[in-house]
Amino acid sequence: MERAVWIILNENFSITLDGEIENDKVVDKKFSPGSDIWTNELPRLGFSDEHVQNDYDEFISDILTLFSEPSVNEVFVNAKIGEESEYLNCKKPLVIRKIEEYSVDEIIE
């Protein structure tokens, strides 16, 4: 099983994406806002500052829009380690950076 890790970020926030690459698609997506927290869904964080909360909600919305693009898998799968792609179809551009590729023979549950 081939997997890769990407960072998705804008000027204020970043999320790590770990996903399996299967048939030129990113599947089994795991997201992390930091530390050792991983989830199958984009993390919904809460902030006491309303402005920060609105910025974060917009960041998550922009990522959801990115994943709805027909060519999204090409952006992730075809990237080289260290290469950056920009997604400009949002209020604050997203940068997608591939940081690692690895193989997993067996996942231990």
Side-chain angles (χ1 to χ4, degrees):
M1 166 185 335
E2 298 299 314
R3 295 189 71 87
V5 179
W6 300 265
I7 300 289
I8 304 170
L9 56 116
N10 70 9
E11 64 186 33
N12 298 319
F13 302 100
S14 69
I15 285 193
T16 304
L17 165 62
D18 181 308
E20 180 181 351
I21 299 171
E22 182 179 279
N23 300 321
D24 291 328
K25 293 183 180 177
V26 180
V27 297
D28 187 35
K29 298 177 189 91
K30 309 282 187 218
F31 298 94
S32 175
S35 288
D36 206 11
I37 301 167
W38 291 92
T39 179
N40 291 330
E41 298 176 5
L42 285 166
R44 299 290 182 169
L45 303 179
F47 297 92
S48 58
D49 183 308
E50 186 177 329
H51 179 70
V52 173
Q53 185 68 55
N54 289 338
D55 282 351
Y56 182 77
D57 292 344
E58 183 177 280
F59 174 62
I60 294 300
S61 176
D62 289 342
I63 293 173
L64 290 170
T65 302
L66 167 67
F67 280 115
S68 71
E69 294 284 343
S71 62
V72 70
N73 284 299
E74 292 174 32
V75 171
F76 285 95
V77 173
N78 295 334
K80 307 277 187 262
I81 293 178
E83 182 178 276
E84 290 185 351
S85 298
E86 281 190 319
Y87 180 65
L88 304 173
N89 202 15
C90 49
K91 288 186 180 179
K92 293 181 183 165
L94 296 174
V95 173
I96 300 102
R97 181 182 309 133
K98 189 175 198 175
I99 60 171
E100 182 180 7
E101 296 174 333
Y102 63 99
S103 295
V104 178
D105 293 327
E106 180 180 337
I107 296 178
I108 300 171
E109 304 246 356

